[in-house]
PDB file of all heavy atoms in Angstrom:
ATOM      1  N   VAL A  10      -9.555  -2.314  -2.270  1.00  0.00           N
ATOM      2  CA  VAL A  10      -8.274  -2.420  -2.928  1.00  0.00           C
ATOM      3  C   VAL A  10      -7.283  -3.296  -2.087  1.00  0.00           C
ATOM      4  O   VAL A  10      -7.541  -3.567  -0.925  1.00  0.00           O
ATOM      5  CB  VAL A  10      -7.563  -1.029  -3.065  1.00  0.00           C
ATOM      6  CG1 VAL A  10      -8.310  -0.201  -4.001  1.00  0.00           C
ATOM      7  CG2 VAL A  10      -7.317  -0.387  -1.817  1.00  0.00           C
ATOM      8  N   LEU A  13      -0.110  -2.203  -0.580  1.00  0.00           N
ATOM      9  CA  LEU A  13       1.171  -2.418   0.130  1.00  0.00           C
ATOM     10  C   LEU A  13       1.525  -1.173   0.913  1.00  0.00           C
ATOM     11  O   LEU A  13       1.606  -0.111   0.362  1.00  0.00           O
ATOM     12  CB  LEU A  13       2.278  -2.734  -0.941  1.00  0.00           C
ATOM     13  CG  LEU A  13       3.690  -2.881  -0.364  1.00  0.00           C
ATOM     14  CD1 LEU A  13       3.775  -4.019   0.665  1.00  0.00           C
ATOM     15  CD2 LEU A  13       4.694  -3.131  -1.462  1.00  0.00           C
ATOM     16  N   MET A  15       3.907   1.043   3.588  1.00  0.00           N
ATOM     17  CA  MET A  15       5.211   1.249   4.206  1.00  0.00           C
ATOM     18  C   MET A  15       4.938   1.879   5.540  1.00  0.00           C
ATOM     19  O   MET A  15       4.299   2.988   5.615  1.00  0.00           O
ATOM     20  CB  MET A  15       6.061   2.128   3.337  1.00  0.00           C
ATOM     21  CG  MET A  15       7.405   2.327   4.033  1.00  0.00           C
ATOM     22  SD  MET A  15       8.670   3.469   3.272  1.00  0.00           S
ATOM     23  CE  MET A  15       7.917   4.190   1.872  1.00  0.00           C
ATOM     24  N   ASN A  18       7.979   3.704  12.092  1.00  0.00           N
ATOM     25  CA  ASN A  18       7.723   4.061  13.506  1.00  0.00           C
ATOM     26  C   ASN A  18       6.258   3.987  13.768  1.00  0.00           C
ATOM     27  O   ASN A  18       5.676   4.888  14.466  1.00  0.00           O
ATOM     28  CB  ASN A  18       8.322   5.440  13.851  1.00  0.00           C
ATOM     29  CG  ASN A  18       9.823   5.450  13.762  1.00  0.00           C
ATOM     30  OD1 ASN A  18      10.438   4.479  13.990  1.00  0.00           O
ATOM     31  ND2 ASN A  18      10.402   6.622  13.310  1.00  0.00           N
ATOM     32  N   LYS A  22       3.348   5.617   6.037  1.00  0.00           N
ATOM     33  CA  LYS A  22       4.046   6.657   5.254  1.00  0.00           C
ATOM     34  C   LYS A  22       3.569   6.628   3.802  1.00  0.00           C
ATOM     35  O   LYS A  22       3.493   7.672   3.145  1.00  0.00           O
ATOM     36  CB  LYS A  22       5.499   6.617   5.359  1.00  0.00           C
ATOM     37  CG  LYS A  22       6.025   6.914   6.748  1.00  0.00           C
ATOM     38  CD  LYS A  22       5.801   8.369   7.088  1.00  0.00           C
ATOM     39  CE  LYS A  22       6.398   8.693   8.404  1.00  0.00           C
ATOM     40  NZ  LYS A  22       6.203  10.071   8.834  1.00  0.00           N
ATOM     41  N   GLY A  36       6.024  -7.873  -3.836  1.00  0.00           N
ATOM     42  CA  GLY A  36       6.629  -6.528  -3.616  1.00  0.00           C
ATOM     43  C   GLY A  36       7.168  -6.381  -2.204  1.00  0.00           C
ATOM     44  O   GLY A  36       8.114  -5.694  -1.945  1.00  0.00           O
ATOM     45  N   ILE A  48      11.731   0.239   9.217  1.00  0.00           N
ATOM     46  CA  ILE A  48      10.745   0.246   8.140  1.00  0.00           C
ATOM     47  C   ILE A  48      10.128  -1.132   8.095  1.00  0.00           C
ATOM     48  O   ILE A  48      10.790  -2.149   7.998  1.00  0.00           O
ATOM     49  CB  ILE A  48      11.348   0.616   6.801  1.00  0.00           C
ATOM     50  CG1 ILE A  48      11.942   1.957   6.816  1.00  0.00           C
ATOM     51  CG2 ILE A  48      10.239   0.569   5.703  1.00  0.00           C
ATOM     52  CD1 ILE A  48      12.724   2.362   5.593  1.00  0.00           C
ATOM     53  N   LYS A  49       8.738  -1.190   8.120  1.00  0.00           N
ATOM     54  CA  LYS A  49       8.043  -2.395   7.947  1.00  0.00           C
ATOM     55  C   LYS A  49       7.112  -2.289   6.767  1.00  0.00           C
ATOM     56  O   LYS A  49       6.620  -1.197   6.432  1.00  0.00           O
ATOM     57  CB  LYS A  49       7.200  -2.628   9.249  1.00  0.00           C
ATOM     58  CG  LYS A  49       8.081  -2.961  10.469  1.00  0.00           C
ATOM     59  CD  LYS A  49       7.147  -3.415  11.613  1.00  0.00           C
ATOM     60  CE  LYS A  49       7.923  -3.449  12.943  1.00  0.00           C
ATOM     61  NZ  LYS A  49       9.104  -4.026  13.110  1.00  0.00           N
ATOM     62  N   GLN A  51       3.507  -4.127   4.904  1.00  0.00           N
ATOM     63  CA  GLN A  51       2.329  -4.876   5.145  1.00  0.00           C
ATOM     64  C   GLN A  51       1.397  -4.867   4.000  1.00  0.00           C
ATOM     65  O   GLN A  51       1.148  -3.779   3.424  1.00  0.00           O
ATOM     66  CB  GLN A  51       1.645  -4.472   6.479  1.00  0.00           C
ATOM     67  CG  GLN A  51       0.462  -5.233   6.843  1.00  0.00           C
ATOM     68  CD  GLN A  51      -0.090  -4.748   8.170  1.00  0.00           C
ATOM     69  OE1 GLN A  51       0.429  -3.890   8.852  1.00  0.00           O
ATOM     70  NE2 GLN A  51      -1.275  -5.313   8.488  1.00  0.00           N
ATOM     71  N   ALA A  57     -10.756   1.998   0.318  1.00  0.00           N
ATOM     72  CA  ALA A  57      -9.938   3.170   0.222  1.00  0.00           C
ATOM     73  C   ALA A  57     -10.578   4.250  -0.709  1.00  0.00           C
ATOM     74  O   ALA A  57     -11.345   3.937  -1.536  1.00  0.00           O
ATOM     75  CB  ALA A  57      -8.610   2.856  -0.334  1.00  0.00           C
ATOM     76  N   ILE A  74      -9.926   2.097   7.291  1.00  0.00           N
ATOM     77  CA  ILE A  74      -9.629   0.868   8.080  1.00  0.00           C
ATOM     78  C   ILE A  74     -10.662   0.793   9.202  1.00  0.00           C
ATOM     79  O   ILE A  74     -10.771   1.707   9.979  1.00  0.00           O
ATOM     80  CB  ILE A  74      -8.218   0.992   8.645  1.00  0.00           C
ATOM     81  CG1 ILE A  74      -7.241   1.052   7.487  1.00  0.00           C
ATOM     82  CG2 ILE A  74      -7.871  -0.251   9.501  1.00  0.00           C
ATOM     83  CD1 ILE A  74      -5.797   1.237   7.927  1.00  0.00           C
TER      84      ILE A  74
END
Side-chain angles (χ1 to χ4, degrees):
V10 297
L13 176 57
M15 179 184 3
N18 298 326
K22 293 293 185 179
I48 301 174
K49 295 187 188 316
Q51 182 177 352
I74 301 174

